[in-house]
Amino acid sequence: MIKEILKQVQQGKLTVADAEKELATYEDLGFAKVDYHRKKRQGFSEVVFGEGKTAEQIISIVKALQLKDKSVLVTRISKEKANQVLEACPSFAYNEVAKILFWKDSDQDSFFEGYIAIVCAGTSDLPVAEEAAVTAEILGCKVRRIYDVGVAGIHRLLNNIDEIQNATVTVVVAGMEGALPSVVGGLVSHPVIAVPTSIGYGANFNGLSALLTMLNSCSSGISVVNIDNGFGAAYNAALIHRLIQKGAKHNENALS
């Protein structure tokens, strides 16, 4: 890309000022510095955290990202603010349950082999589970949703265990006492990312008891993210999923 830009400058097809813009790693909007270099450093483009930002700020940021990337993701954005953004950016879509606003170019790269399983304990955990599911999809992964399979009715989980076991990585979302990730972790041979939610009665302490249960799990292969952090879990799952795809492709090339 850099060589192509320099060739265009040499041939007079691109001014030095325009080339400088093309090569910039971020754009200073005054209230935000939009990081265009994130994908090269970390594998995925910058994600916008919508909470605390005005609709006008979000509009400016996503319009800047849309010019450089093939997908744009805004998490934790209210319906009211999302509607304002959608008026200015009609190509975007909004998932009200996940509180996610997103845009995805039709030719964005996807990891077609395998899938990530998003498992949640109860219907009350759906907002966090959907945040994880939509995030993983926008990051280019296939997703299988397995919802309302908590330990209070363990047969529901067991009825879906084959689908979970065939995933490359599983995100498990649970509130109350947070036992579900330990159960899943003892039944699968791939990484499990546990997400405690703030759903529960008083002694749940807004998700703290679920977090401590998951951190103290006796099942191996479980990593834990922060309370209600479906986005963080999906991001890590997508990184694992992508590495698995690269490894499989490398093995195929070695055998051919």
Side-chain angles (χ1 to χ4, degrees):
M1 180 182 174
I2 294 175
K3 285 184 178 180
E4 183 59 33
I5 291 171
L6 293 175
K7 282 182 182 178
Q8 290 182 38
V9 173
Q10 187 180 45
Q11 294 166 0
K13 296 179 181 178
L14 199 67
T15 66
V16 172
D18 287 337
E20 186 178 13
K21 288 180 182 178
E22 290 291 329
L23 293 170
T25 57
Y26 70 89
E27 181 179 354
D28 192 345
L29 300 179
F31 57 86
K33 292 178 175 63
V34 183
D35 187 356
Y36 297 137
H37 201 250
R38 187 79 58 93
K39 189 170 185 177
K40 290 184 179 179
R41 295 197 319 272
Q42 296 186 308
F44 298 115
S45 304
E46 181 175 14
V47 175
V48 183
F49 184 68
E51 204 170 286
K53 294 181 177 68
T54 66
E56 291 74 20
Q57 289 171 335
I58 294 171
I59 289 167
S60 297
I61 293 169
V62 299
K63 281 185 173 181
L65 287 170
Q66 199 171 19
L67 292 173
K68 296 283 187 178
D69 293 315
K70 292 188 175 182
S71 66
V72 181
L73 181 65
V74 184
T75 65
R76 300 300 170 93
I77 179 169
S78 67
K79 185 178 180 180
E80 181 183 358
K81 277 196 287 190
N83 285 336
Q84 293 178 61
V85 178
L86 288 170
E87 286 183 14
C89 307
S91 59
F92 278 70
Y94 182 60
N95 184 308
E96 188 174 352
V97 176
K99 293 185 179 179
I100 282 181
L101 185 75
F102 61 93
W103 168 79
K104 186 176 180 181
D105 197 334
S106 57
D107 66 347
Q108 185 204 9
D109 294 335
S110 294
F111 310 114
F112 294 108
E113 298 298 323
Y115 58 87
I116 294 171
I118 308 293
V119 179
C120 87
T123 304
S124 297
D125 301 310
L126 279 181
V128 178
E130 272 298 290
E131 181 181 66
V134 175
T135 296
E137 288 172 338
I138 300 305
L139 296 179
C141 307
K142 287 186 176 180
V143 166
R144 301 279 182 90
R145 291 166 169 82
I146 299 127
Y147 291 169
D148 196 22
V149 290
V151 297
I154 199 71
H155 58 289
R156 300 171 300 177
L157 175 69
L158 298 177
N159 285 344
N160 292 275
I161 196 60
D162 289 343
E163 189 173 17
I164 298 170
Q165 288 175 330
N166 288 326
T168 56
V169 54
T170 295
V171 174
V172 184
V173 181
M176 298 293 186
E177 82 287 9
L180 186 59
S182 292
V183 177
V184 173
L187 297 171
V188 302
S189 60
H190 57 251
V192 172
I193 302 174
V195 189
T197 72
S198 51
I199 298 300
Y201 296 105
N204 171 265
F205 296 110
N206 293 317
L208 182 59
S209 66
L211 172 65
L212 293 175
T213 296
M214 294 174 187
L215 287 172
N216 285 288
S217 173
C218 64
S219 296
S220 301
I222 295 177
S223 300
V224 186
V225 298
N226 210 341
I227 299 168
D228 291 336
N229 190 10
F231 161 75
Y235 194 99
N236 286 339
L239 287 173
I240 294 168
H241 188 66
R242 190 184 63 166
L243 287 172
I244 290 170
Q245 305 307 309
K246 284 185 176 180
K249 190 173 182 179
H250 175 74
N251 290 336
E252 284 179 9
N253 293 336
L255 292 171
S256 61

